[in-house]
Amino acid sequence: MSRKRVLVVDDENAIQAVIQGCLEDIAGWEVLLASSGQEGLQLAEAQNPDGILLDVSMPQMSGIETFQKLQANFATQYIPVIFLTAKLQPEDRAQFSQLGILGVLAKPFEPMNLVYQVANIFGWEV
């Protein structure tokens, strides 16, 4: 089985570090980091990751805008996306599912469970 590559797009360095540590140390996946929606779009197109963890609330370009741009690009539209959000209301879940998001993870998350949650949503084995 090939090693999975996950792009993490989040404007908080501490969140990036926790996610990267969990996914690399526990699952052995390669983690790419982007601090903005624009950087995430560029990395997604250049690196073609197996999946993307995308923060909803970011300055300049929100996660929803970033996701819409990913969907509009032929090179990135098939990459599965999981939203990361600190604000998760029932109406948010409904909106996210209409967008075609594969899943949503609430922040803060339990680092030791993160790999299994991500693998479960993406349908990967750990």
Side-chain angles (χ1 to χ4, degrees):
M1 187 166 103
S2 65
R3 186 173 172 203
K4 298 294 185 189
R5 298 172 80 207
V6 179
L7 171 59
V8 177
V9 184
D10 197 303
D11 61 315
E12 295 180 51
N13 290 337
I15 298 287
Q16 285 184 358
V18 169
I19 294 172
Q20 183 175 27
C22 292
L23 300 186
E24 288 182 347
D25 295 345
I26 297 171
W29 298 337
E30 179 182 352
V31 177
L32 308 167
L33 299 174
S35 298
S36 69
Q38 189 60 45
E39 188 182 353
L41 292 170
Q42 292 166 347
L43 271 173
E45 187 166 1
Q47 300 292 325
N48 194 29
D50 297 298
I52 299 173
L53 300 182
L54 179 58
D55 184 22
V56 174
S57 299
M58 294 185 290
Q60 285 93 42
M61 185 187 310
S62 74
I64 292 173
E65 291 173 278
T66 304
F67 177 73
Q68 290 168 334
K69 289 180 184 282
L70 286 166
Q71 293 294 289
N73 183 337
F74 185 75
T76 58
Q77 66 186 9
Y78 298 107
I79 301 171
V81 175
I82 297 173
F83 271 166
L84 299 169
T85 183
K87 302 184 245 358
L88 190 56
Q89 303 301 320
E91 58 271 15
D92 295 328
R93 282 191 185 274
Q95 179 189 12
F96 297 159
S97 66
Q98 289 175 345
L99 285 172
I101 295 294
L102 205 55
V104 180
L105 293 175
K107 292 197 269 185
F109 46 81
E110 175 55 51
M112 296 311 293
N113 294 333
L114 182 66
V115 167
Y116 304 102
Q117 291 176 303
V118 170
N120 184 46
I121 293 170
F122 282 144
W124 300 346
E125 290 184 22
V126 181

